[in-house]
Amino acid sequence: MARGLGQYIIIRALMIIPTILILYTLVFFFLRILPGNPVMAVVGTKNIPPEQLEHLMQMAGLDKPLYVQYFDYLKGVLHGDFGVTLAFPMGKPVWDYIAQRFPATLELALWAFTVSVLLGLLTGVIGATRKGTKTDTAMRVYSIIAYTLFIPWFGMMLQYLFGIHLHWLPTSGRLDPGVNLHTVTGLYVLDSILTGNWEAFVSSVRHLILPALTLGIVLSGAYTRLVRNNMVDVLSQDFIRAYYARGVADRKVMWYALKNAFIPVVTLMGLQFAILLGGAVLTETTFSWPGMGTFLVDRIDYRDYNAIQGAVIFFAFFVGIISLIVDIVYALLDPRVKY
Amino acid sequence: MRRQYATLALVFLVVFSVVASGCISGGGGEEETATIVMGVTDKVTDLDPSNAYDFYTWEVLNNVMEGLVKYKPGTLEIEPALAESWEVNEDSTVWTFHLRKDLKFADGTPLTAKDVVRSIERVMTIQGDPSWLVTDFVDKVEAKDDYTVVFYLKQPTAYFLALLTTPPYFPVHPDYAPDQIQSDQTAGGAGPYKITKWVRDEELVLEANPNYYGEKPKTEKIIIKFYRDASTMRLALQNGEIDIAWRTLRPSDIDSLKKDENFNVIEVPGGFIRYICLNTKNDPTSNVKVRQALAAAVDRPEIAQKVFMGTVEPLYSLVPNGMWSHKDVFKDKYGDGNMEKAKALLSEAGYSESNPLEIQLWYTPTHYGDTEADLAQMLKEQWEKTGMIKVTIKSAEWGTYTDYARNGQMQVYLLGWYPDYLDPDDYTTPFLKSTANSWAGTGYANPTMDDLLSQAQRLSDQNERTKLYEQVQDILAQDVPYIPLIQGKLFVVTQKNVKGVTIGPDMIFRYSTLYKE
């Protein structure tokens, strides 16, 4: 079986490559089918002689044939080079931006993920244990509402309530102005603990609460439903009845039931993580969160080919790795899985 | 068991509210420091003056650097800055400047005439976007000694001092590489502030420059926070996270903040203009009657009120209101929403209600803010009121839009202009001179116009120049390659305790006069 698992992992890992390649190809050509280009977007309405425009196009490498541009970029990526930005500021490594922006997205995603799983488990278990009651209905309604909430709208409601109305929490950014933090990992909460900077810790936690709640609540709906249905299913099985018959305490029975109901939830977690990153784009724009989402949106505005390609490839790679890990965990958790 | 979950939910709520409320006191902001936090939705594109060419970045550069001369805060009057005096020869081709003796960069490095020459030659070598402001005018620049700089110009340029107030002429610290653009260079120049922290698109921290020759800034530290959009910035202002909300809130935000007594809304006339471009090369706008009819049917006050909620003012020429030589040529010739005139002109051009003029009106959805679609819609309504025009609205985002414009692919389209330097020349030559207006894509060319503009550039007598620019504006209203629409106003919204907001006609916010009470 060990060999089987090893093979499975290798095959799954190799499957990430075509996914990224297809995505890159789509993004590459889609960007270029649209009229206009980064140089034009930067120059805008300013009066620049045609020779200089040509020079700028040359500097950006946009004068080369499409297939050369396509393979050049791909070759770079294989060497870990994501190219340089083409819109302002021209010529900065895209990787620098990814390295700076990605931790912000990851931090938001991790917190939102935690919120969504905890809320989803809580509401799902409550629903399952009170099957058929009003509470159960309430939890089901919660799951539908949460699932259908529009992130920017919901985020704004929270901003109004906790920011403007109650003045409890900041509505945008990652740190209060003027708070300095020496970054180690780029995850501010972790960094502030590592460096013992409590001012930055409080500040970063406060800034995280609203965006993480927004995204977390929206994503929790799917868990509520899944956890509830699985729990109901498990609770009706014979081994649970056997536990009760033997007089095992309620809390313990619930714990066993939850463990059994958990396997499909793990799969959902993997899937949700991709959705989570997508949701992070919307959340980031709502809260001016300086992550990959806002970076991508900015760069799309300026048609910065390299930056968009780089960000998309990096995202795809990251999601690929996460789903690989989830599959492995799933395989380890559930002995019925065959590779 | 029911109780357990209820307890769990309660614990969650309590923990959340403790973290939230417990942090209020820990959140900072109690101790009064000499810091002002300013929010913007603009971006700093390039901290290198050899390549920076957008309005907001120029504002930041103006606070961390200075030129030989500058506008006296809040006025159009030019006063000495790094140079204490200057002379010019008779035909205004040789300009000699005498520097102050005690000049230093922010880190204490002495600043001499050689630094001025090096910085300007650097701009000429690098050939970045704004380099034409130097290369089109300056033939060469020399340091006679440590304190004397001489500019030899290619042709007489009456408004050379106005050019000197722009960033490409600012001396930069020797750390700026001589032949490379350094977009994230924070060494700055010799302005009232120096940059102490720079995280692109997130935060820029400025601190008072201890080596500044002039008056010390009233506030030691200015923190600029960059926001994705206006609504987030407005929330931050209302939540007290920022002291000042600057460029750019939406008209509806300004409207409601004006009514809120917690904030000061400061209104400043702005020199940026919005206008319609008309393709003079392609049918049907190649017909001057058609262009005139479109100009006659536009109702500017209605646009200013309904689309911009009074945050702009009507504009009847390309030269903005308040600038010398400005003349309300479009108002005199066509009026506002003049349907009779529009219909008459359309009839002359061969159109009728049964054979309406069909045009495509283009706009770009985000570059000029959220109001752009409304502006296009309003123009469509105004034109269609004639009963003889059918308008199809089209849009393309910025990168595409500018490409279409440059290639003359659009018929009727909306654009805007921020000045490079404050002179009627900057509002006329780039639009109307046939050798300079390819960017706009209107294809407009008129030899008389070209000639008038060249003459006006060379003359140094302002009265003479005024006459020429008035003629230019008359021809503009006759030929109508552009229809001026509105002129912007600027709005700074501050917390009640913020004072000292100074923005002059150059539209540049100088942070050194700001302070908190």
Side-chain angles (χ1 to χ4, degrees), chain A residues 2-75:
Chain A
R3 199 173 135 218
L5 181 65
Q7 260 176 358
Y8 172 74
I9 292 174
I10 292 168
I11 293 167
R12 269 297 278 102
L14 286 175
M15 272 165 62
I16 298 174
I17 297 168
T19 315
I20 291 179
L21 211 59
I22 291 168
L23 204 59
Y24 164 65
T25 312
L26 283 177
V27 170
F28 182 92
F29 287 104
F30 187 67
L31 281 173
R32 278 143 180 102
I33 285 168
L34 299 168
N37 64 49
V39 170
M40 299 308 298
V42 170
V43 172
T45 54
K46 291 302 177 186
N47 189 12
I48 275 186
E51 316 83 73
Q52 205 176 333
L53 265 185
E54 222 165 90
H55 171 68
L56 284 173
M57 297 285 277
Q58 223 172 357
M59 264 171 54
L62 298 177
D63 56 331
K64 293 182 197 161
L66 268 193
Y67 72 92
V68 177
Q69 291 181 39
Y70 177 88
F71 287 108
D72 274 0
Y73 193 80
L74 206 54
K75 227 188 311 175

Coordinates of all heavy atoms in Angstrom, one line a residue, chain A residues 2-75:
Chain A
A2 N 2.0 1.2 0.7 CA 2.9 2.3 0.8 C 3.4 2.7 -0.6 O 3.4 3.9 -0.9 CB 4.1 2.0 1.7
R3 N 3.7 1.7 -1.4 CA 4.1 2.0 -2.7 C 3.0 2.7 -3.6 O 3.2 3.6 -4.3 CB 4.6 0.7 -3.4 CG 5.5 1.0 -4.5 CD 6.2 -0.2 -5.1 NE 6.0 -0.2 -6.5 CZ 5.8 -1.2 -7.3 NH1 5.6 -2.4 -6.8 NH2 5.7 -1.1 -8.6
G4 N 1.8 2.1 -3.3 CA 0.7 2.6 -4.0 C 0.5 4.1 -3.7 O 0.2 4.9 -4.6
L5 N 0.6 4.4 -2.5 CA 0.4 5.8 -2.0 C 1.5 6.7 -2.7 O 1.2 7.8 -3.2 CB 0.5 5.9 -0.5 CG 0.3 7.3 0.1 CD1 -1.1 7.8 -0.2 CD2 0.5 7.3 1.6
G6 N 2.7 6.2 -2.7 CA 3.8 7.0 -3.3 C 3.5 7.3 -4.7 O 3.6 8.4 -5.2
Q7 N 3.1 6.3 -5.5 CA 2.8 6.4 -6.9 C 1.7 7.4 -7.1 O 1.7 8.3 -7.9 CB 2.4 5.1 -7.4 CG 3.5 4.4 -8.2 CD 3.1 3.1 -8.7 OE1 2.0 2.6 -8.4 NE2 4.0 2.4 -9.3
Y8 N 0.7 7.3 -6.2 CA -0.5 8.1 -6.3 C -0.1 9.6 -6.1 O -0.5 10.5 -6.9 CB -1.5 7.7 -5.2 CG -2.7 8.7 -5.0 CD1 -3.7 8.6 -5.9 CD2 -2.7 9.5 -3.9 CE1 -4.8 9.5 -5.7 CE2 -3.8 10.4 -3.7 CZ -4.8 10.3 -4.6 OH -5.9 11.2 -4.5
I9 N 0.8 9.8 -5.1 CA 1.2 11.2 -4.9 C 1.9 11.8 -6.1 O 1.7 12.9 -6.6 CB 2.1 11.3 -3.6 CG1 1.3 11.0 -2.4 CG2 2.8 12.7 -3.5 CD1 2.1 10.9 -1.1
I10 N 2.8 10.9 -6.7 CA 3.6 11.4 -7.8 C 2.7 11.7 -9.0 O 2.8 12.8 -9.6 CB 4.6 10.4 -8.3 CG1 5.7 10.3 -7.2 CG2 5.3 10.7 -9.6 CD1 6.6 9.1 -7.3
I11 N 1.7 10.8 -9.3 CA 0.8 11.1 -10.4 C 0.0 12.3 -10.1 O -0.2 13.2 -11.0 CB -0.1 9.9 -10.6 CG1 0.7 8.7 -11.1 CG2 -1.2 10.2 -11.6 CD1 0.0 7.4 -11.1
R12 N -0.5 12.5 -8.9 CA -1.3 13.6 -8.6 C -0.5 14.9 -8.7 O -1.0 15.9 -9.2 CB -1.9 13.5 -7.1 CG -3.2 12.9 -7.0 CD -4.3 13.7 -7.7 NE -4.8 14.8 -6.9 CZ -4.5 16.1 -7.1 NH1 -3.7 16.4 -8.1 NH2 -5.0 17.0 -6.4
A13 N 0.8 14.9 -8.3 CA 1.6 16.0 -8.4 C 1.9 16.4 -9.8 O 1.8 17.6 -10.2 CB 2.9 15.8 -7.7
L14 N 2.1 15.4 -10.7 CA 2.4 15.6 -12.1 C 1.2 16.3 -12.8 O 1.3 17.0 -13.7 CB 2.8 14.3 -12.8 CG 4.2 13.9 -12.5 CD1 4.4 12.5 -13.1 CD2 5.2 14.9 -12.9
M15 N 0.0 15.9 -12.3 CA -1.2 16.5 -12.9 C -1.4 18.0 -12.7 O -2.1 18.6 -13.4 CB -2.5 15.8 -12.3 CG -2.8 14.5 -13.1 SD -4.0 13.5 -12.2 CE -5.4 14.6 -12.1
I16 N -0.6 18.5 -11.8 CA -0.7 20.0 -11.6 C -0.1 20.7 -12.8 O -0.6 21.8 -13.2 CB 0.1 20.4 -10.3 CG1 -0.5 19.8 -9.1 CG2 0.2 21.9 -10.2 CD1 0.3 20.0 -7.8
I17 N 0.9 20.1 -13.4 CA 1.6 20.7 -14.6 C 0.7 21.1 -15.7 O 0.6 22.2 -16.1 CB 2.8 19.9 -15.0 CG1 3.8 19.8 -13.8 CG2 3.5 20.5 -16.2 CD1 4.9 18.8 -14.0
P18 N -0.1 20.0 -16.3 CA -1.0 20.4 -17.4 C -2.0 21.5 -17.0 O -2.4 22.3 -17.8 CB -1.6 19.1 -17.8 CG -1.3 18.1 -16.7 CD -0.1 18.6 -16.0
T19 N -2.5 21.4 -15.7 CA -3.5 22.4 -15.3 C -2.9 23.8 -15.4 O -3.6 24.7 -16.0 CB -3.8 22.1 -13.8 OG1 -4.0 20.8 -13.6 CG2 -5.0 22.9 -13.4
I20 N -1.7 24.0 -14.9 CA -1.1 25.3 -15.0 C -0.8 25.7 -16.4 O -1.1 26.8 -16.8 CB 0.2 25.3 -14.2 CG1 -0.1 25.1 -12.7 CG2 1.0 26.6 -14.4 CD1 1.1 25.1 -11.8
L21 N -0.4 24.7 -17.2 CA -0.1 25.0 -18.6 C -1.3 25.5 -19.4 O -1.2 26.5 -20.1 CB 0.5 23.8 -19.3 CG 1.5 24.0 -20.4 CD1 2.7 24.8 -19.8 CD2 2.0 22.7 -21.0
I22 N -2.4 24.8 -19.1 CA -3.6 25.2 -19.8 C -4.1 26.6 -19.4 O -4.4 27.5 -20.2 CB -4.8 24.2 -19.5 CG1 -4.4 22.9 -20.2 CG2 -6.1 24.7 -20.0 CD1 -5.3 21.7 -19.8
L23 N -4.0 26.8 -18.1 CA -4.4 28.1 -17.5 C -3.5 29.2 -18.1 O -4.0 30.3 -18.5 CB -4.3 28.1 -16.0 CG -5.2 29.0 -15.2 CD1 -6.6 28.8 -15.6 CD2 -5.0 28.9 -13.7
Y24 N -2.2 29.0 -18.1 CA -1.3 30.0 -18.6 C -1.6 30.3 -20.1 O -1.7 31.5 -20.5 CB 0.2 29.5 -18.5 CG 1.2 30.3 -19.3 CD1 1.4 31.6 -19.0 CD2 1.8 29.7 -20.3 CE1 2.3 32.4 -19.8 CE2 2.8 30.4 -21.1 CZ 3.0 31.7 -20.8 OH 3.9 32.5 -21.6
T25 N -1.8 29.3 -20.9 CA -2.1 29.5 -22.3 C -3.3 30.3 -22.5 O -3.4 31.3 -23.3 CB -2.3 28.1 -23.0 OG1 -1.2 27.3 -22.6 CG2 -2.3 28.3 -24.5
L26 N -4.4 30.0 -21.7 CA -5.6 30.7 -21.8 C -5.4 32.2 -21.5 O -5.8 33.1 -22.2 CB -6.7 30.1 -20.9 CG -7.3 28.8 -21.3 CD1 -8.3 28.3 -20.3 CD2 -8.1 29.1 -22.7
V27 N -4.8 32.4 -20.3 CA -4.5 33.8 -19.9 C -3.7 34.5 -20.9 O -4.0 35.7 -21.3 CB -3.9 33.8 -18.5 CG1 -3.5 35.2 -18.1 CG2 -4.8 33.3 -17.4
F28 N -2.6 33.9 -21.3 CA -1.7 34.5 -22.3 C -2.5 35.0 -23.5 O -2.4 36.2 -23.9 CB -0.6 33.5 -22.7 CG 0.4 34.1 -23.6 CD1 1.6 34.7 -23.1 CD2 0.2 34.1 -25.0 CE1 2.5 35.2 -24.0 CE2 1.1 34.6 -25.9 CZ 2.3 35.2 -25.4
F29 N -3.2 34.1 -24.1 CA -3.9 34.5 -25.4 C -5.1 35.4 -25.1 O -5.3 36.3 -25.9 CB -4.2 33.3 -26.2 CG -3.0 32.7 -26.8 CD1 -2.5 31.5 -26.3 CD2 -2.4 33.3 -27.9 CE1 -1.3 31.0 -26.8 CE2 -1.2 32.8 -28.4 CZ -0.7 31.6 -27.9
F30 N -5.8 35.2 -24.1 CA -6.9 36.0 -23.8 C -6.5 37.5 -23.6 O -7.1 38.4 -24.2 CB -7.6 35.5 -22.5 CG -8.9 36.3 -22.3 CD1 -10.0 36.1 -23.1 CD2 -9.1 37.1 -21.2 CE1 -11.2 36.8 -22.9 CE2 -10.2 37.8 -21.0 CZ -11.3 37.6 -21.9
L31 N -5.4 37.7 -22.9 CA -4.9 39.0 -22.7 C -4.5 39.7 -24.0 O -4.7 40.9 -24.2 CB -3.6 39.0 -21.8 CG -3.9 38.8 -20.3 CD1 -2.5 38.7 -19.6 CD2 -4.6 40.1 -19.7
R32 N -3.9 38.9 -24.9 CA -3.4 39.5 -26.1 C -4.5 39.7 -27.2 O -4.3 40.4 -28.1 CB -2.2 38.8 -26.6 CG -1.0 39.2 -25.9 CD -0.1 38.1 -25.7 NE 1.1 38.5 -25.0 CZ 1.4 38.3 -23.7 NH1 0.4 37.8 -22.9 NH2 2.5 38.7 -23.1
I33 N -5.6 39.0 -27.0 CA -6.7 39.1 -28.0 C -7.3 40.5 -27.8 O -7.7 41.2 -28.8 CB -7.8 38.0 -27.8 CG1 -7.2 36.7 -28.4 CG2 -9.1 38.4 -28.5 CD1 -8.1 35.5 -28.0
L34 N -7.4 41.0 -26.6 CA -8.0 42.3 -26.3 C -7.1 43.4 -26.9 O -5.9 43.3 -26.8 CB -8.1 42.5 -24.8 CG -9.0 41.5 -24.1 CD1 -8.8 41.6 -22.6 CD2 -10.4 41.7 -24.4
P35 N -7.7 44.4 -27.4 CA -6.9 45.5 -28.0 C -6.2 46.3 -26.8 O -6.6 46.2 -25.7 CB -7.9 46.4 -28.7 CG -9.2 46.0 -28.1 CD -9.1 44.6 -27.6
G36 N -5.2 47.1 -27.2 CA -4.5 47.8 -26.2 C -3.4 47.0 -25.5 O -3.4 45.8 -25.7
N37 N -2.5 47.6 -24.8 CA -1.5 46.9 -24.1 C -0.9 47.7 -23.0 O -1.3 48.9 -22.8 CB -0.4 46.5 -25.1 CG 0.3 47.7 -25.7 OD1 0.8 48.5 -25.0 ND2 0.4 47.7 -27.0
P38 N 0.0 47.1 -22.2 CA 0.4 47.8 -21.0 C 1.1 49.2 -21.3 O 0.9 50.2 -20.6 CB 1.4 46.9 -20.3 CG 1.5 45.7 -21.2 CD 0.5 45.7 -22.2
V39 N 1.9 49.2 -22.4 CA 2.6 50.4 -22.7 C 1.6 51.5 -23.0 O 1.7 52.7 -22.5 CB 3.5 50.2 -23.9 CG1 4.1 51.5 -24.4 CG2 4.6 49.3 -23.5
M40 N 0.5 51.2 -23.7 CA -0.5 52.2 -24.0 C -1.2 52.7 -22.8 O -1.5 53.9 -22.6 CB -1.5 51.7 -25.0 CG -1.0 51.2 -26.3 SD -0.1 52.5 -27.1 CE -1.3 53.8 -27.3
A41 N -1.4 51.7 -21.9 CA -2.1 52.1 -20.6 C -1.3 53.0 -19.8 O -1.8 53.9 -19.1 CB -2.5 50.8 -19.8
V42 N 0.0 52.8 -19.8 CA 0.9 53.7 -19.0 C 1.0 55.1 -19.6 O 0.9 56.1 -19.0 CB 2.3 53.1 -18.8 CG1 3.2 54.1 -18.2 CG2 2.2 51.9 -18.0
V43 N 1.2 55.1 -20.9 CA 1.4 56.3 -21.7 C 0.1 57.1 -21.6 O 0.1 58.4 -21.5 CB 1.8 56.1 -23.1 CG1 1.8 57.3 -23.9 CG2 3.2 55.4 -23.1
G44 N -1.1 56.4 -21.7 CA -2.3 57.1 -21.6 C -2.5 58.2 -22.7 O -2.3 58.0 -23.8
T45 N -2.9 59.4 -22.2 CA -3.2 60.4 -23.2 C -2.0 61.3 -23.4 O -2.1 62.3 -24.1 CB -4.3 61.3 -22.7 OG1 -4.0 61.7 -21.4 CG2 -5.6 60.6 -22.6
K46 N -0.8 60.9 -22.8 CA 0.3 61.8 -23.0 C 0.9 61.8 -24.4 O 0.8 60.8 -25.1 CB 1.3 61.5 -21.9 CG 0.9 61.8 -20.5 CD 0.5 63.3 -20.4 CE -0.1 63.6 -19.0 NZ -0.6 64.9 -18.8
N47 N 1.4 62.9 -24.7 CA 1.9 63.2 -26.0 C 3.3 62.6 -26.2 O 4.3 63.2 -25.8 CB 1.9 64.7 -26.3 CG 2.2 65.0 -27.7 OD1 2.1 64.1 -28.6 ND2 2.4 66.2 -28.0
I48 N 3.4 61.4 -26.8 CA 4.7 60.8 -26.9 C 5.0 60.5 -28.3 O 4.1 60.0 -29.0 CB 4.8 59.5 -26.0 CG1 5.1 59.9 -24.6 CG2 5.7 58.5 -26.5 CD1 5.3 58.8 -23.7
P49 N 6.2 60.8 -28.8 CA 6.5 60.5 -30.2 C 6.5 59.0 -30.5 O 6.8 58.2 -29.6 CB 7.9 61.1 -30.5 CG 8.4 61.4 -29.1 CD 7.3 61.5 -28.1
P50 N 6.1 58.6 -31.7 CA 6.0 57.2 -32.1 C 7.3 56.5 -31.9 O 7.2 55.3 -31.5 CB 5.7 57.3 -33.6 CG 5.3 58.6 -33.9 CD 5.7 59.5 -32.8
E51 N 8.5 57.1 -32.1 CA 9.7 56.4 -31.9 C 9.8 55.9 -30.4 O 10.3 54.8 -30.1 CB 11.0 57.3 -32.2 CG 11.0 58.1 -33.4 CD 10.2 59.4 -33.2 OE1 10.8 60.3 -32.5 OE2 9.1 59.5 -33.7
Q52 N 9.4 56.8 -29.5 CA 9.5 56.5 -28.1 C 8.6 55.4 -27.7 O 8.9 54.5 -26.9 CB 9.3 57.7 -27.3 CG 10.0 57.6 -25.9 CD 9.9 58.9 -25.1 OE1 9.7 60.0 -25.6 NE2 9.9 58.7 -23.8
L53 N 7.4 55.4 -28.3 CA 6.4 54.3 -28.1 C 7.0 53.0 -28.5 O 7.0 52.0 -27.8 CB 5.2 54.6 -28.9 CG 4.0 55.3 -28.2 CD1 2.8 55.3 -29.1 CD2 3.6 54.5 -26.9
E54 N 7.7 53.1 -29.7 CA 8.3 51.8 -30.2 C 9.4 51.3 -29.3 O 9.5 50.1 -29.0 CB 8.9 52.2 -31.6 CG 8.7 51.1 -32.6 CD 9.0 51.7 -34.0 OE1 10.2 51.6 -34.4 OE2 8.1 52.3 -34.6
H55 N 10.2 52.3 -28.8 CA 11.2 52.0 -27.8 C 10.7 51.3 -26.6 O 11.2 50.3 -26.1 CB 12.0 53.3 -27.5 CG 13.0 53.1 -26.4 ND1 14.1 52.4 -26.5 CD2 13.0 53.6 -25.1 CE1 14.8 52.4 -25.4 NE2 14.1 53.1 -24.5
L56 N 9.5 51.9 -26.1 CA 8.9 51.3 -24.9 C 8.4 49.9 -25.2 O 8.6 49.0 -24.3 CB 7.8 52.2 -24.4 CG 8.1 53.5 -23.7 CD1 6.9 54.4 -23.5 CD2 8.8 53.2 -22.4
M57 N 7.8 49.7 -26.3 CA 7.3 48.4 -26.7 C 8.5 47.4 -26.7 O 8.3 46.3 -26.3 CB 6.6 48.4 -28.1 CG 5.4 49.3 -28.2 SD 4.0 48.6 -27.4 CE 3.4 47.5 -28.7
Q58 N 9.6 47.9 -27.3 CA 10.8 47.0 -27.4 C 11.3 46.6 -26.0 O 11.6 45.5 -25.7 CB 11.8 47.8 -28.1 CG 12.6 47.0 -29.1 CD 13.5 48.0 -29.9 OE1 13.5 49.2 -29.7 NE2 14.3 47.4 -30.8
M59 N 11.3 47.7 -25.1 CA 11.8 47.4 -23.7 C 10.9 46.4 -23.0 O 11.4 45.6 -22.3 CB 11.8 48.7 -22.9 CG 13.1 49.4 -22.9 SD 13.0 51.1 -22.2 CE 12.2 50.7 -20.6
A60 N 9.6 46.5 -23.3 CA 8.7 45.5 -22.7 C 8.7 44.2 -23.4 O 8.0 43.3 -23.0 CB 7.3 46.1 -22.7
G61 N 9.4 44.1 -24.5 CA 9.5 42.8 -25.2 C 8.2 42.5 -26.0 O 8.0 41.4 -26.5
L62 N 7.4 43.6 -26.3 CA 6.1 43.3 -26.9 C 6.2 43.4 -28.4 O 5.3 43.3 -29.2 CB 5.1 44.4 -26.5 CG 4.7 44.3 -25.0 CD1 3.8 45.4 -24.6 CD2 4.2 42.9 -24.6
D63 N 7.5 43.7 -28.9 CA 7.7 43.7 -30.4 C 7.9 42.4 -31.0 O 7.9 42.2 -32.2 CB 8.8 44.7 -30.7 CG 10.1 44.3 -30.0 OD1 10.0 43.7 -28.9 OD2 11.2 44.6 -30.5
K64 N 8.2 41.4 -30.1 CA 8.5 40.0 -30.5 C 7.3 39.3 -31.0 O 6.2 39.6 -30.5 CB 9.2 39.2 -29.4 CG 10.6 39.8 -29.0 CD 11.1 38.9 -27.9 CE 12.3 39.6 -27.2 NZ 12.5 39.0 -25.9
P65 N 7.4 38.3 -31.9 CA 6.3 37.5 -32.3 C 5.6 36.8 -31.1 O 6.3 36.5 -30.1 CB 6.8 36.5 -33.2 CG 8.2 36.9 -33.5 CD 8.7 37.9 -32.5
L66 N 4.3 36.6 -31.1 CA 3.6 36.1 -30.0 C 4.2 34.8 -29.5 O 4.3 34.6 -28.3 CB 2.1 35.8 -30.4 CG 1.1 36.9 -30.2 CD1 -0.3 36.4 -30.3 CD2 1.3 37.5 -28.8
Y67 N 4.5 33.8 -30.4 CA 5.0 32.5 -29.9 C 6.3 32.7 -29.2 O 6.6 32.0 -28.2 CB 5.1 31.5 -31.0 CG 6.2 31.7 -32.0 CD1 7.5 31.1 -31.8 CD2 6.1 32.6 -33.1 CE1 8.5 31.3 -32.7 CE2 7.1 32.8 -34.0 CZ 8.4 32.2 -33.8 OH 9.4 32.4 -34.6
V68 N 7.1 33.7 -29.6 CA 8.4 33.9 -28.8 C 8.1 34.4 -27.4 O 8.6 33.9 -26.4 CB 9.3 34.9 -29.6 CG1 10.5 35.2 -28.8 CG2 9.6 34.4 -31.0
Q69 N 7.1 35.4 -27.4 CA 6.7 35.9 -26.0 C 6.2 34.7 -25.2 O 6.5 34.7 -24.0 CB 5.6 36.9 -26.2 CG 6.1 38.2 -26.8 CD 4.9 39.2 -26.9 OE1 4.1 39.3 -26.0 NE2 4.8 40.0 -28.0
Y70 N 5.4 33.9 -25.8 CA 4.8 32.8 -25.0 C 5.8 31.9 -24.4 O 5.8 31.6 -23.2 CB 3.9 32.0 -26.0 CG 3.2 30.8 -25.4 CD1 2.0 30.9 -24.7 CD2 3.8 29.5 -25.5 CE1 1.4 29.8 -24.1 CE2 3.2 28.4 -24.9 CZ 2.0 28.6 -24.2 OH 1.4 27.5 -23.7
F71 N 6.8 31.4 -25.3 CA 7.8 30.5 -24.8 C 8.8 31.1 -23.9 O 9.3 30.5 -22.9 CB 8.4 29.7 -25.9 CG 7.5 28.7 -26.5 CD1 7.0 28.9 -27.8 CD2 7.2 27.6 -25.8 CE1 6.1 28.0 -28.3 CE2 6.3 26.6 -26.3 CZ 5.8 26.8 -27.6
D72 N 9.2 32.4 -24.2 CA 10.1 33.1 -23.3 C 9.6 33.2 -21.9 O 10.4 32.9 -21.0 CB 10.3 34.6 -23.8 CG 11.3 34.7 -24.9 OD1 11.9 33.6 -25.2 OD2 11.6 35.8 -25.4
Y73 N 8.3 33.5 -21.8 CA 7.8 33.6 -20.4 C 7.8 32.3 -19.7 O 8.2 32.2 -18.6 CB 6.4 34.2 -20.5 CG 5.9 34.6 -19.1 CD1 6.3 35.9 -18.6 CD2 5.1 33.8 -18.3 CE1 6.0 36.3 -17.3 CE2 4.7 34.2 -17.0 CZ 5.1 35.4 -16.5 OH 4.8 35.8 -15.3
L74 N 7.4 31.3 -20.5 CA 7.3 29.9 -19.9 C 8.7 29.5 -19.4 O 8.8 28.9 -18.4 CB 6.7 29.0 -21.0 CG 6.0 27.7 -20.5 CD1 4.9 28.1 -19.5 CD2 5.5 27.0 -21.7
K75 N 9.7 29.8 -20.3 CA 11.0 29.4 -19.9 C 11.4 30.0 -18.6 O 12.0 29.4 -17.7 CB 12.0 29.8 -21.1 CG 12.9 28.7 -21.5 CD 14.0 29.1 -22.4 CE 13.6 29.9 -23.6 NZ 14.6 30.4 -24.5

